[in-house]
Amino acid sequence: ILNVEQSPQSLHVQEGDSTNFTCSFPSSNFYALHWYRWETAKSPEALFVMTLNGDEKKKGRISATLNTKEGYSYLYIKGSQPEDSATYLCAFIKRHNAGNMLTFGGGTRLMVKP
Amino acid sequence: DAGITQSPRYKITETGRQVTLMCHQTWSHSYMFWYRQDLGHGLRLIYYSAAADITDKGEVPDGYVVSRSKTENFPLTLESATRSQTSVYFCASSRQGHNSPLHFGNGTRLTVT
Protein backbone atom coordinates (compact mmCIF):
# COMPACT_ATOMS: atom_id res chain seq x y z
CA ILE A 1 0.00 0.00 0.00
CA LEU A 2 1.44 3.34 -1.06
CA ASN A 3 1.55 6.15 1.46
CA VAL A 4 0.06 9.41 0.24
CA GLU A 5 -0.08 12.07 2.93
CA GLN A 6 -1.88 15.38 2.79
CA SER A 7 -1.38 18.27 5.16
CA PRO A 8 -2.94 19.96 6.89
CA GLN A 9 -6.02 17.79 7.47
CA SER A 10 -8.16 20.90 7.75
CA LEU A 11 -7.74 24.60 7.31
CA HIS A 12 -9.87 27.62 8.18
CA VAL A 13 -9.14 30.86 6.31
CA GLN A 14 -10.84 34.19 5.83
CA GLU A 15 -12.28 35.24 2.50
CA GLY A 16 -9.52 36.86 0.47
CA ASP A 17 -6.68 34.93 2.09
CA SER A 18 -4.37 32.93 -0.12
CA THR A 19 -3.60 29.43 1.05
CA ASN A 20 -1.72 26.31 0.09
CA PHE A 21 -1.56 22.70 1.11
CA THR A 22 0.71 19.77 0.52
CA CYS A 23 0.53 16.29 -0.92
CA SER A 24 3.47 13.98 -0.17
CA PHE A 25 4.03 10.73 -2.03
CA PRO A 26 6.82 8.17 -2.61
CA SER A 27 9.38 9.75 -4.93
CA SER A 28 10.52 6.51 -6.56
CA ASN A 29 8.80 5.25 -9.71
CA PHE A 30 6.52 8.25 -10.04
CA TYR A 31 3.96 8.11 -12.84
CA ALA A 32 1.20 10.66 -12.27
CA LEU A 33 -0.44 12.80 -9.63
CA HIS A 34 -4.06 13.93 -9.64
CA TRP A 35 -5.78 16.71 -7.69
CA TYR A 36 -9.52 16.67 -7.03
CA ARG A 37 -11.92 19.05 -5.39
CA TRP A 38 -14.75 17.50 -3.39
CA GLU A 39 -17.64 19.62 -2.18
CA THR A 40 -19.91 18.31 0.53
CA ALA A 41 -22.81 16.21 -0.81
CA LYS A 42 -21.27 16.12 -4.26
CA SER A 43 -18.76 13.89 -6.00
CA PRO A 44 -15.06 14.62 -6.53
CA GLU A 45 -14.20 16.76 -9.54
CA ALA A 46 -10.83 16.67 -11.25
CA LEU A 47 -8.64 19.75 -11.03
CA PHE A 48 -5.30 18.64 -12.45
CA VAL A 49 -3.42 15.62 -13.74
CA MET A 50 0.33 16.15 -13.45
CA THR A 51 2.99 13.88 -14.88
CA LEU A 52 6.27 15.80 -15.25
CA ASN A 53 8.69 17.00 -12.61
CA GLY A 54 8.41 20.78 -12.40
CA ASP A 55 4.89 20.78 -13.85
CA GLU A 56 2.81 23.79 -12.94
CA LYS A 57 -0.90 23.83 -13.72
CA LYS A 58 -3.43 26.59 -13.24
CA LYS A 59 -7.21 26.82 -13.33
CA GLY A 60 -8.53 30.24 -12.40
CA ARG A 61 -7.34 31.06 -8.87
CA ILE A 62 -6.14 27.52 -8.23
CA SER A 63 -2.70 26.32 -9.22
CA ALA A 64 -0.51 23.33 -8.47
CA THR A 65 3.17 22.49 -8.65
CA LEU A 66 4.89 19.13 -8.74
CA ASN A 67 8.28 17.94 -7.48
CA THR A 68 8.67 14.26 -8.29
CA LYS A 69 12.29 14.05 -7.11
CA GLU A 70 11.40 14.95 -3.54
CA GLY A 71 7.88 13.56 -3.67
CA TYR A 72 5.53 16.46 -3.09
CA SER A 73 2.94 18.62 -4.79
CA TYR A 74 1.52 21.93 -3.61
CA LEU A 75 -1.96 23.22 -4.32
CA TYR A 76 -2.39 27.00 -4.08
CA ILE A 77 -5.59 29.00 -3.89
CA LYS A 78 -5.24 32.73 -4.43
CA GLY A 79 -7.79 35.01 -2.79
CA SER A 80 -9.96 32.27 -1.26
CA GLN A 81 -13.71 32.60 -1.67
CA PRO A 82 -16.46 30.87 0.35
CA GLU A 83 -17.25 28.74 -2.72
CA ASP A 84 -13.72 27.29 -2.49
CA SER A 85 -14.77 25.52 0.69
CA ALA A 86 -14.32 21.83 -0.07
CA THR A 87 -12.05 18.88 0.55
CA TYR A 88 -9.06 18.76 -1.77
CA LEU A 89 -7.76 15.30 -2.58
CA CYS A 90 -4.55 14.24 -4.21
CA ALA A 91 -4.02 10.80 -5.73
CA PHE A 92 -0.78 9.16 -6.83
CA ILE A 93 0.06 6.40 -9.25
CA LYS A 94 3.34 4.57 -9.35
CA ARG A 95 5.13 3.56 -12.53
CA HIS A 96 4.99 -0.16 -13.24
CA ASN A 97 2.13 -0.50 -10.85
CA ALA A 98 0.80 -3.99 -11.06
CA GLY A 99 -2.62 -2.50 -11.65
CA ASN A 100 -3.99 0.79 -12.81
CA MET A 101 -4.55 2.11 -9.31
CA LEU A 102 -4.66 5.60 -7.96
CA THR A 103 -3.91 5.81 -4.26
CA PHE A 104 -5.75 8.70 -2.66
CA GLY A 105 -4.59 10.79 0.24
CA GLY A 106 -6.91 11.60 3.11
CA GLY A 107 -7.63 15.10 1.83
CA THR A 108 -7.35 18.64 3.14
CA ARG A 109 -10.64 20.15 4.22
CA LEU A 110 -10.71 23.88 3.49
CA MET A 111 -13.27 26.18 5.06
CA VAL A 112 -13.38 29.79 3.88
CA LYS A 113 -15.21 32.22 6.14
CA PRO A 114 -16.95 35.21 4.53
CA ASP B 1 -27.04 14.06 -21.23
CA ALA B 2 -23.58 12.56 -21.21
CA GLY B 3 -22.27 11.57 -17.83
CA ILE B 4 -21.90 8.86 -15.27
CA THR B 5 -24.87 7.79 -13.20
CA GLN B 6 -25.14 5.51 -10.22
CA SER B 7 -28.22 3.81 -8.87
CA PRO B 8 -29.67 3.60 -6.38
CA ARG B 9 -28.60 6.75 -4.50
CA TYR B 10 -29.51 5.17 -1.16
CA LYS B 11 -29.93 1.53 -0.20
CA ILE B 12 -30.63 -0.22 3.07
CA THR B 13 -30.19 -3.98 3.14
CA GLU B 14 -29.85 -6.74 5.68
CA THR B 15 -26.79 -8.75 6.54
CA GLY B 16 -26.42 -11.74 4.24
CA ARG B 17 -28.44 -10.34 1.35
CA GLN B 18 -27.06 -9.87 -2.12
CA VAL B 19 -27.15 -6.32 -3.42
CA THR B 20 -26.03 -4.83 -6.72
CA LEU B 21 -25.02 -1.24 -7.26
CA MET B 22 -25.30 0.02 -10.81
CA CYS B 23 -23.01 2.34 -12.73
CA HIS B 24 -23.57 3.61 -16.25
CA GLN B 25 -21.47 6.04 -18.31
CA THR B 26 -22.22 7.57 -21.68
CA TRP B 27 -18.72 8.75 -22.64
CA SER B 28 -17.50 5.37 -23.91
CA HIS B 29 -14.59 5.66 -21.49
CA SER B 30 -12.41 2.56 -21.44
CA TYR B 31 -11.68 2.59 -17.73
CA MET B 32 -14.17 2.27 -14.92
CA PHE B 33 -13.60 2.08 -11.20
CA TRP B 34 -15.42 1.38 -7.95
CA TYR B 35 -14.31 3.14 -4.78
CA ARG B 36 -15.63 3.11 -1.26
CA GLN B 37 -15.38 6.05 1.08
CA ASP B 38 -15.14 5.52 4.82
CA LEU B 39 -14.22 7.84 7.66
CA GLY B 40 -10.53 7.59 8.38
CA HIS B 41 -9.74 5.77 5.15
CA GLY B 42 -10.51 8.17 2.35
CA LEU B 43 -11.28 6.68 -1.04
CA ARG B 44 -10.21 3.07 -1.50
CA LEU B 45 -10.32 1.18 -4.77
CA ILE B 46 -12.43 -1.97 -4.80
CA TYR B 47 -12.25 -3.08 -8.43
CA TYR B 48 -11.48 -1.53 -11.76
CA SER B 49 -11.86 -2.39 -15.42
CA ALA B 50 -9.67 -1.35 -18.33
CA ALA B 51 -12.16 -2.45 -20.99
CA ALA B 52 -15.18 -4.66 -21.50
CA ASP B 53 -14.58 -8.16 -20.12
CA ILE B 54 -11.38 -7.07 -18.32
CA THR B 55 -11.55 -6.51 -14.57
CA ASP B 56 -8.94 -6.37 -11.83
CA LYS B 57 -8.89 -6.24 -8.06
CA GLY B 58 -8.10 -3.06 -6.23
CA GLU B 59 -7.08 -2.49 -2.66
CA VAL B 60 -10.19 -3.90 -0.93
CA PRO B 61 -11.92 -6.44 -3.23
CA ASP B 62 -13.01 -9.07 -0.69
CA GLY B 63 -16.77 -9.61 -0.60
CA TYR B 64 -17.39 -7.87 -3.91
CA VAL B 65 -17.90 -9.06 -7.47
CA VAL B 66 -17.89 -6.98 -10.66
CA SER B 67 -18.61 -7.58 -14.30
CA ARG B 68 -18.20 -5.53 -17.45
CA SER B 69 -20.06 -7.16 -20.32
CA LYS B 70 -20.63 -3.76 -21.96
CA THR B 71 -18.30 -0.76 -22.01
CA GLU B 72 -20.91 1.55 -20.52
CA ASN B 73 -21.93 -0.54 -17.50
CA PHE B 74 -19.94 -1.64 -14.48
CA PRO B 75 -22.16 -3.14 -11.76
CA LEU B 76 -20.80 -3.93 -8.31
CA THR B 77 -22.35 -6.84 -6.41
CA LEU B 78 -22.06 -7.57 -2.72
CA GLU B 79 -22.67 -11.31 -2.67
CA SER B 80 -23.54 -11.55 1.03
CA ALA B 81 -23.61 -8.11 2.59
CA THR B 82 -21.90 -7.52 5.93
CA ARG B 83 -22.10 -4.53 8.27
CA SER B 84 -18.50 -3.65 7.45
CA GLN B 85 -19.66 -2.94 3.90
CA THR B 86 -21.78 -0.04 5.09
CA SER B 87 -20.19 2.81 3.17
CA VAL B 88 -20.58 5.33 0.39
CA TYR B 89 -19.69 3.81 -2.96
CA PHE B 90 -18.44 5.87 -5.88
CA CYS B 91 -18.17 4.74 -9.45
CA ALA B 92 -15.77 6.58 -11.75
CA SER B 93 -14.62 6.42 -15.33
CA SER B 94 -11.68 7.74 -17.28
CA ARG B 95 -10.63 7.81 -20.90
CA GLN B 96 -7.07 6.55 -20.56
CA GLY B 97 -6.70 5.29 -17.01
CA HIS B 98 -4.13 7.07 -14.88
CA ASN B 99 -3.17 9.70 -17.46
CA SER B 100 -6.71 10.98 -17.56
CA PRO B 101 -8.80 12.52 -14.82
CA LEU B 102 -11.46 10.40 -13.18
CA HIS B 103 -15.10 11.39 -13.57
CA PHE B 104 -17.13 10.33 -10.56
CA GLY B 105 -20.77 9.44 -10.17
CA ASN B 106 -22.85 10.92 -7.37
CA GLY B 107 -22.34 7.97 -5.08
CA THR B 108 -24.52 5.32 -3.48
CA ARG B 109 -24.94 5.35 0.27
CA LEU B 110 -25.34 1.73 1.39
CA THR B 111 -26.37 0.75 4.89
CA VAL B 112 -26.20 -2.90 5.93
CA THR B 113 -28.24 -3.63 9.05
Side-chain angles (χ1 to χ4, degrees):
Chain A
I1 303 298
L2 300 173
N3 212 18
V4 182
E5 301 284 344
Q6 291 189 247
S7 63
Q9 282 190 325
S10 65
L11 192 56
H12 293 251
V13 301
Q14 288 293 137
E15 182 175 355
D17 287 351
S18 292
T19 186
N20 66 85
F21 16 96
T22 307
C23 173
S24 301
F25 51 85
S27 57
S28 60
N29 299 318
F30 173 86
Y31 196 95
L33 187 93
H34 294 211
W35 279 102
Y36 292 85
R37 167 194 159 89
W38 193 357
E39 291 182 71
T40 303
K42 295 187 177 180
S43 51
E45 291 182 352
L47 288 171
F48 307 114
V49 175
M50 308 176 83
T51 56
L52 297 175
N53 184 43
D55 248 357
E56 290 189 27
K57 300 249 179 171
K58 188 174 180 183
K59 184 184 272 191
R61 294 178 292 100
I62 304 177
S63 60
T65 60
L66 179 66
N67 184 324
T68 62
K69 296 188 186 309
E70 296 183 38
Y72 65 84
S73 176
Y74 293 140
L75 190 80
Y76 300 91
I77 303 179
K78 185 178 177 182
S80 302
Q81 299 296 309
E83 57 265 31
D84 295 328
S85 297
T87 296
Y88 291 83
L89 298 174
C90 70
F92 165 78
I93 188 157
K94 181 178 174 180
R95 186 178 292 278
H96 303 307
N97 200 345
N100 189 358
M101 290 190 276
L102 284 171
T103 300
F104 280 86
T108 292
R109 188 174 175 217
L110 174 68
M111 286 152 281
V112 183
K113 299 176 194 175
Chain B
D1 286 348
I4 181 165
T5 54
Q6 291 183 236
S7 60
R9 286 298 306 275
Y10 304 93
K11 176 74 177 177
I12 300 174
T13 192
E14 294 176 341
T15 300
R17 294 214 180 236
Q18 183 180 83
V19 61
T20 295
L21 310 184
M22 305 301 292
C23 180
H24 175 78
Q25 53 105 355
T26 59
W27 288 303
S28 299
H29 283 171
S30 295
Y31 288 82
M32 295 187 76
F33 308 84
W34 275 106
Y35 287 89
R36 60 178 288 175
Q37 184 224 349
D38 305 289
L39 275 175
H41 288 283
L43 285 167
R44 291 183 293 172
L45 183 66
I46 305 170
Y47 268 96
Y48 68 98
S49 168
D53 297 322
I54 300 174
T55 61
D56 269 300
K57 294 179 180 180
E59 184 184 348
V60 289
D62 293 342
Y64 303 95
V65 174
V66 292
S67 62
R68 187 125 179 250
S69 56
K70 292 184 179 181
T71 300
E72 60 266 30
N73 295 325
F74 191 39
L76 176 75
T77 297
L78 288 67
E79 293 187 298
S80 177
T82 64
R83 288 198 181 93
S84 65
Q85 292 176 309
T86 292
S87 186
V88 181
Y89 291 85
F90 286 95
C91 179
S93 71
S94 74
R95 191 164 48 87
Q96 291 180 330
H98 45 251
N99 267 350
S100 304
L102 268 58
H103 299 268
F104 286 86
N106 287 330
T108 295
R109 183 176 292 275
L110 176 69
T111 302
V112 183
T113 62

